[in-house]
């Protein structure tokens, strides 16, 4: 295979996708230059323009929703769907044909992520896609756009031939990561490596600072990477350590997956605007409200991106029979955005004020499992309260002395200032520092490209590995008791921080493996038990460890084995170079091996 010409970082965001790249083989002494790919996309019917951001929206239009032949792209003149800018703008008027937040659905354990379920509120006769397929179409657009721009006359420059780093939230579990890889492979990417988004943002900062980063943070300090994007709030702690006189960086903690971000804020703004319209006597039905939600997203982004704007007009399609004048006009103001978001999402409380726990309603509509408490600062307080310490003798990382922001939501100065004020209050002084972000929309892709150079030894690497501790469920050996299920122990198979490309074995104990008949294998994980070791068994794990999926499979037996035979095995876990997880069961007697596949069946 031809050596890659480029290192490519792809930020597969909830709101935008971004592609950055740099030369793979730099001459000695030359500083790396990370560039952005201008991605061709449809911005209006029949109009194609290259832009640095590809909005993560996919429109599946009906036969009369767009003009004929208006979706043609340079690489495909007969497109029947559209990705990007026009999908977002036209989709605001056709919300039941628009796929948005596919990334959030990709990590939703309560649905079959390979089933055709999106758009969630689509009419029965409308086309639907699975979250995996929708994600694949974003990546396929990126691949074909790159090849059109960068490889029209050079087959060796085609994207599928390059060294690719695809970013995912740090809070993505093993199944969500595996499904992301599956989507990438469907899009034509056979070789890629996953990188966590907060790390990518930090790599972008390291590159921008050069050698000066050592003057910005000190040994023993921790840096909070606060990433609030379109679909999630992602928190990570990076610790500054010293070894043999050299500064080193270690990813010391990762927060839980919190489905709380720009989508929630857009919805809150839509409720505020609907309330204003209702006071004026204008009522919106559910279809119109869906359109208002998407319009508020666009208006919010315009206000955040342009500090000179004070208002943005919003138009909502009417539902009457008249084609003339059947629209509703209103506006979203800067003061509305700042007051609604500050009060609802970034209140400043005490360090002990964690997310409110409310009794759940027994029946609810199916949909994304958004966080019950919308206060991002309370989720942050909980993360810092459980994962950091202000006691120097504690083994946990220190309470952060600095913060690096990432994500489009954090472009708003008042929101960043609110978090900085909260951190200063919780720390007990005013000395939490804000590190200068490179670009809140683009830094993840740029940092991912730079990470490829770091792997070549051309920069400092953050020691990270897995963001969770993983366990396999082991049935206890005890007599059956009527009415009481056999207890399941959590056996640690992958410790927190296990590096990609490494293996771990459990040689001190044998386990019985069922072969020849269908069996269930629970996969468990936690973000809080960071000190558990490989082979450690946890009997009472409720509240700390959660089941993330359940594999149901039939492991093959030999001709001499009967169905349901129990084979004594040793266990070996492996974190692949890509960043996914494998668990091998190795027969004690004849070295037969079985690999457990982790995305066979979704948890019910």
């Amino acid at each position: 295979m031809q050596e890659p010409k480029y290192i490519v970082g792809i930020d597969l965001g909830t709101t935008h996708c971004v592609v950055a790249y740099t030369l793979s083989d730099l001459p000695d002494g030359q500083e790396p230059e990370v560039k952005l790919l201008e991605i061709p996309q449809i911005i209006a019917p029949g109009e194609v323009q290259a832009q640095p951001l590809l909005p993560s929206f996919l429109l599946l239009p009906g036969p009369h929703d767009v003009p004929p032949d208006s979706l043609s792209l340079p690489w495909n003149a007969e497109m029947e769907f559209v990705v990007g800018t026009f999908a977002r703008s036209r989709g605001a008027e056709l919300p039941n044909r628009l796929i948005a937040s596919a990334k959030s659905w990709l990590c939703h354990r309560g649905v079959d992520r390979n089933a055709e379920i999106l758009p969630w509120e689509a009419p029965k006769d409308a086309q639907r896609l699975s979250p995996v397929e929708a994600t694949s179409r974003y990546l396929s657009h990126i691949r074909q756009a790159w090849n059109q721009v960068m490889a029209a006359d050079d087959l060796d420059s085609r994207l599928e031939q390059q060294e690719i780093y695809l970013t995912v939230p740090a809070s993505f579990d093993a199944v969500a990561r595996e499904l992301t890889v599956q989507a990438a492979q469907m899009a034509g990417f056979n070789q890629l490596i996953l990188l966590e988004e907060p790390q990518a943002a930090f790599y972008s900062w390291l590159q921008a600072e050069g050698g000066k980063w050592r003057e910005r943070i000190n040994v023993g300090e921790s840096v909070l990477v606060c990433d609030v994007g379109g679909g999630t709030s992602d928190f990570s702690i990076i610790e500054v350590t010293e070894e043999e006189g050299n500064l080193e960086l270690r990813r010391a903690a990762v927060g839980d997956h919190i489905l709380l971000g720009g989508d929630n804020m857009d919805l809150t703004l839509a409720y505020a605007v609907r309330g204003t319209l209702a006071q004026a006597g204008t009522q919106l039905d559910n279809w119109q409200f869906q359109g208002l939600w998407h319009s508020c997203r666009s208006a919010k982004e315009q206000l955040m991106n342009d500090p000179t704007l004070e208002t943005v007009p919003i138009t909502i399609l009417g539902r009457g029979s008249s084609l003339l004048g059947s629209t509703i006009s209103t506006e979203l103001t800067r003061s509305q955005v700042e007051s609604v978001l500050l009060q609802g999402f970034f209140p400043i409380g005490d360090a002990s004020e964690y997310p409110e726990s409310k009794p759940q309603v027994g029946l609810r509509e199916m949909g994304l499992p958004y966080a019950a408490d919308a206060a991002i600062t309370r989720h942050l307080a909980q993360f810092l309260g459980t994962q950091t310490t202000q006691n120097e003798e504690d083994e946990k990382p220190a309470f952060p002395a600095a913060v690096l922001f990432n994500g489009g939501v954090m472009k708003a100065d008042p929101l960043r200032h609110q978090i900085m004020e909260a951190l200063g209050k919780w720390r007990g002084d005013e000395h939490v520092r804000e590190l200068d972000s490179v670009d809140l929309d683009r830094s993840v892709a740029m940092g991912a490209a730079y990470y490829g150079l770091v792997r070549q030894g051309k920069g400092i690497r953050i020691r990270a590995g897995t963001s969770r501790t993983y366990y396999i469920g082991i049935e206890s050996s005890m007599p059956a008791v009527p009415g009481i299920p056999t207890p399941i122990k959590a056996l640690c198979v992958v410790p927190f921080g296990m590096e990609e490309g490494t293996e771990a074995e459990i040689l001190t104990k044998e386990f019985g493996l069922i072969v020849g008949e269908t069996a269930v294998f629970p996969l468990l994980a936690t973000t809080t038990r960071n000190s558990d070791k490989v082979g450690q068994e946890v009997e009472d794990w409720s509240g700390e460890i959660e089941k993330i999926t359940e594999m149901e499979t039939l492991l093959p037996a030999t001709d001499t084995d009967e169905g349901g035979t129990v084979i004594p095995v040793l266990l070996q876990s492996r974190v692949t170079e890509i960043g996914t997880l494998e668990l091998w069961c190795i027969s004690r007697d004849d070295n037969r091996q079985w690999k457990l596949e982790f995305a066979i069946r979704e948890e019910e």
Side-chain angles (χ1 to χ4, degrees), residues 36 55 58 69 117 182 214 247 366 377 467 522:
L36 292 175
L58 194 159
D69 304 321
I117 58 174
Q182 179 183 327
R214 294 173 176 83
L247 288 186
M366 287 296 295
T377 41
S467 60

Side-chain angles (χ1 to χ4, degrees), residues 6-29:
Y6 298 103
I7 298 171
V8 183
I10 301 177
D11 176 10
L12 185 64
T14 306
T15 306
H16 296 101
C17 297
V18 186
V19 180
Y21 63 96
T22 186
L23 289 173
S24 176
D25 187 14
L26 285 175
D28 291 340

Side-chain angles (χ1 to χ4, degrees), residues 240-282:
V240 186
T241 62
E242 185 177 23
E243 187 168 326
E244 297 181 355
N246 297 315
L247 288 186
E248 293 197 348
L249 299 170
R250 182 178 73 91
R251 197 276 316 280
V254 171
D256 290 325
H257 191 78
I258 306 171
L259 204 59
L260 177 60
D263 287 349
N264 307 72
M265 300 175 192
D266 302 333
L267 182 60
T268 304
L269 293 170
Y271 277 116
V273 173
R274 184 171 75 171
T276 301
L277 290 171
Q279 291 178 357
T282 300

Side-chain angles (χ1 to χ4, degrees), residues 331-344:
E331 64 181 15
L332 186 67
T333 68
R334 180 174 299 279
S335 61
Q336 273 182 302
V337 171
E338 293 183 353
S339 63
V340 167
L341 301 191
L342 285 174
Q343 295 171 16

Side-chain angles (χ1 to χ4, degrees), residues 15 46 66 150 164 246 276 328 360 366 404 506 562 565 569:
T15 306
V66 297
M150 302 288 290
I164 298 171
N246 297 315
T276 301
I328 301 166
Q360 297 191 54
M366 287 296 295
L404 178 68
I506 302 175
E562 297 181 359
T565 298
V569 295

Side-chain angles (χ1 to χ4, degrees), residues 230 285 293 309 329 353 355 512-513 584:
D285 61 22
W293 182 3
L309 288 178
S329 297
E353 290 188 31
L513 178 70
W584 291 84

Side-chain angles (χ1 to χ4, degrees), residues 55-289:
S56 304
F57 296 84
L58 194 159
L59 182 67
L60 301 168
H64 307 295
D65 291 333
V66 297
D69 304 321
S70 64
L71 304 184
S72 297
L73 287 165
W75 54 86
N76 189 340
E78 299 180 354
M79 295 291 293
E80 296 182 351
F81 64 91
V82 60
V83 169
T85 299
F86 180 59
R88 178 179 59 183
S89 60
R90 184 69 175 115
E93 301 165 348
L94 301 167
N96 56 358
R97 296 190 183 275
L98 177 69
I99 294 178
S101 304
K103 183 177 177 179
S104 298
W105 287 97
L106 198 64
C107 60
H108 184 0
R109 301 174 194 161
V111 299
D112 182 351
R113 289 162 273 188
N114 279 298
E116 296 177 348
I117 58 174
L118 301 179
W120 188 255
E121 299 291 344
K124 292 183 179 180
D125 60 342
Q127 183 184 0
R128 284 184 170 88
L129 301 176
S130 71
V132 173
E133 172 65 25
T135 303
S136 177
R137 292 198 183 188
Y138 298 145
L139 291 170
S140 180
H141 184 105
I142 288 171
R143 179 179 62 81
Q144 294 177 94
W146 170 285
N147 291 342
Q148 176 74 26
V149 175
M150 302 288 290
D153 302 314
D154 181 9
L155 293 179
D156 291 337
S157 293
R158 292 179 67 82
L159 184 55
E160 52 267 35
Q161 305 297 325
Q162 310 313 311
E163 185 176 335
I164 298 171
Y165 296 89
L166 181 63
T167 64
V168 294
S171 53
F172 259 24
D173 61 33
V175 175
R177 291 168 191 252
E178 185 67 43
L179 291 172
T180 302
V181 172
Q182 179 183 327
Q185 291 172 341
M186 290 169 59
F189 298 94
N190 295 319
Q191 300 292 330
L192 59 85
I193 291 176
L194 300 182
L195 175 66
E196 293 171 10
E197 291 164 5
Q199 285 189 66
F202 201 84
Y203 277 119
S204 183
W205 178 79
L206 285 173
Q207 185 203 4
E209 291 291 326
K212 294 181 180 178
W213 71 267
R214 294 173 176 83
E215 302 171 10
R216 306 283 191 263
I217 48 180
N218 305 309
V219 174
E221 289 185 336
S222 292
V223 178
L224 165 69
V225 183
C226 180
D227 185 350
V228 183
T232 58
S233 293
D234 222 348
F235 308 128
S236 291
I237 292 291
I238 294 177
E239 193 174 31
V240 186
T241 62
E242 185 177 23
E243 187 168 326
E244 297 181 355
N246 297 315
L247 288 186
E248 293 197 348
L249 299 170
R250 182 178 73 91
R251 197 276 316 280
V254 171
D256 290 325
H257 191 78
I258 306 171
L259 204 59
L260 177 60
D263 287 349
N264 307 72
M265 300 175 192
D266 302 333
L267 182 60
T268 304
L269 293 170
Y271 277 116
V273 173
R274 184 171 75 171
T276 301
L277 290 171
Q279 291 178 357
T282 300
Q283 301 293 330
L284 303 181
D285 61 22
N286 288 337
W287 181 85
Q288 290 172 310
F289 182 70

